[in-house]
Amino acid sequence: MKKSKELIELLCIVLVVAACHAVKKTPEAMLPVFDKEGHRGCRGLMPENTIPAMLHALELGVTTLEMDAVITRDSQVILSHEPFFNHEITTKPDGSYVTEAEERQLNIFGMTYAETQRFDVGLKPHPRFPRQQRMAATKPLLGAVIEAVEAAVKAGKAQPVLYNIETKCQPATDNKYHPAPEAFIDLLMPVLVEKGITQRVIIQSFDFRTLKVLHSRYPQIHTAALIEADNKKDLAAQIEELGFTPTIFSPAYELVTPEMVEDCRARKVKLIPWTVNSKKEMDTLRAIGVDGIISDYPDLFN
């Protein structure tokens, strides 16, 4: 009886170890050879960071859905590029447009999820994206977005995709427009675990604090270091600041050079620049060897 118990315990240990190795290895295999990412779904064509934008991007054959996550007062994770209601896209409950002067007062971190649903983000004509289709839309729960996408895949309407989720945070606005990084990750990750997509997730951020917390707690999750156009540090300096080598280096596309491509290859880091909105720029970047492209117009990939 004792030997049987020991054998069972040993088998359990073996299974746990095997499972851990599987979790660490499987995501690497999921990365596409060339990653076609729809920025905020497909901002150039549909209201950004909405379910219709994500579903349309699927129809266009993207391999990754890029999106932004913020937190509400009642700790719900919803999609939004800013942690407030941007004046370019928002219609207030009374039907008037949000002005630039008042947008930062419409702080999502100070609203419940129910309160955020009173604001429309799809009806106002976008001043910079004339091809964007107008429709009634609200900022959706991340969980609802995942459910809609996975349902479309299950129905055979699209191939399984990756989710590239940006944490919208920075040190200056901790606990004002968003939780501090530790709390942010504590709210974000349970959604991804519950929906069963952790092996197809990339967490990206300009705020390296978030990536450090994520990497220490969930080292199996892919990470992408976002780099602004005015950040001239080379890859080695960025990795030193980050404290580990990310899966993906994601700079503004203007920063990409053949030397950067070679540096990323040598370090086995994927190079996926943002945001590329012309076919000419896409062709140039693909010719010098980037591993993917993030675009507001995923129809240009075809």
Side-chain angles (χ1 to χ4, degrees):
M1 187 73 176
K2 184 179 179 181
K3 286 186 177 181
S4 296
K5 185 178 179 182
E6 289 174 349
L7 285 171
I8 292 171
E9 289 175 349
L10 179 60
L11 180 60
C12 288
I13 291 170
V14 170
L15 290 173
V16 168
V17 170
C20 289
H21 281 293
V23 168
K24 290 179 180 178
K25 291 180 179 179
T26 303
E28 192 67 30
M30 291 296 295
L31 292 176
V33 174
F34 186 85
D35 196 7
K36 302 173 183 179
E37 296 202 20
H39 186 235
R40 308 186 200 180
C42 52
R43 177 171 60 156
L45 307 172
M46 303 285 277
E48 66 180 59
N49 279 317
T50 62
I51 290 176
M54 300 301 160
L55 295 180
H56 188 52
L58 283 184
E59 294 171 355
L60 294 172
V62 300
T63 51
T64 296
L65 294 169
E66 194 273 352
M67 60 194 71
D68 307 278
V70 302
I71 309 297
T72 65
R73 190 179 77 206
D74 52 347
S75 299
Q76 299 300 302
V77 185
I78 70 172
L79 298 199
S80 180
H81 184 259
E82 292 80 23
F84 51 82
F85 280 93
N86 188 304
H87 73 281
E88 286 191 320
I89 64 173
T90 308
T91 303
K92 292 187 286 188
D94 65 4
S96 64
Y97 293 147
V98 169
T99 66
E100 189 170 3
E102 67 186 340
E103 64 181 8
R104 291 178 182 273
Q105 300 168 31
L106 299 173
N107 181 358
I108 293 171
F109 194 45
M111 298 181 184
T112 64
Y113 167 67
E115 288 170 334
T116 67
Q117 298 307 287
R118 299 175 62 214
F119 294 82
D120 181 273
V121 292
L123 289 174
K124 183 178 181 180
H126 201 298
R128 292 181 291 116
F129 295 95
R131 290 178 60 198
Q132 188 184 99
Q133 185 176 333
R134 295 172 62 187
M135 62 179 65
T138 58
K139 294 181 182 292
L141 290 165
L142 173 60
V145 171
I146 296 167
E147 288 174 2
V149 170
E150 295 302 302
V153 171
K154 188 175 181 180
K157 297 178 181 178
Q159 295 297 313
V161 291
L162 276 68
Y163 297 81
N164 188 7
I165 304 169
E166 181 181 348
T167 57
K168 304 303 294 188
C169 55
Q170 58 181 339
T173 50
D174 278 354
N175 301 312
K176 179 181 178 182
Y177 281 110
H178 51 79
E182 294 81 2
F184 203 127
I185 293 300
D186 285 344
L187 293 170
L188 174 62
M189 284 305 300
V191 178
L192 307 179
V193 171
E194 179 192 350
K195 301 305 177 184
I197 62 161
T198 55
Q199 293 188 335
R200 289 185 282 125
V201 165
I202 303 158
I203 302 300
Q204 61 175 348
S205 193
F206 291 103
D207 186 351
F208 283 7
R209 301 175 306 156
T210 309
L211 300 181
K212 290 176 181 179
V213 171
L214 181 81
H215 184 70
S216 66
R217 297 183 181 180
Y218 302 91
Q220 76 275 19
I221 300 294
H222 288 314
T223 52
L226 287 169
I227 308 298
E228 293 279 15
D230 60 356
N231 187 337
K232 305 302 182 181
K233 296 179 183 177
D234 63 13
L235 179 58
Q238 302 288 1
I239 290 174
E240 183 178 359
E241 181 181 343
L242 187 56
F244 67 94
T245 301
T247 316
I248 298 165
F249 189 60
S250 194
Y253 79 89
E254 300 92 335
L255 296 176
V256 176
T257 63
E259 292 74 23
M260 181 184 287
V261 171
E262 291 303 316
D263 196 4
C264 285
R265 282 180 180 168
R267 297 174 185 272
K268 297 183 179 180
V269 175
K270 297 287 187 180
L271 177 57
I272 303 177
W274 59 271
T275 303
V276 188
N277 285 342
S278 82
K279 191 73 168 66
K280 181 179 178 181
E281 289 162 348
M282 286 184 176
D283 292 343
T284 298
L285 289 164
R286 293 193 74 161
I288 64 173
V290 299
D291 298 295
I293 285 172
I294 301 172
S295 178
D296 288 314
Y297 295 101
D299 55 332
L300 294 178
F301 289 130
N302 300 323

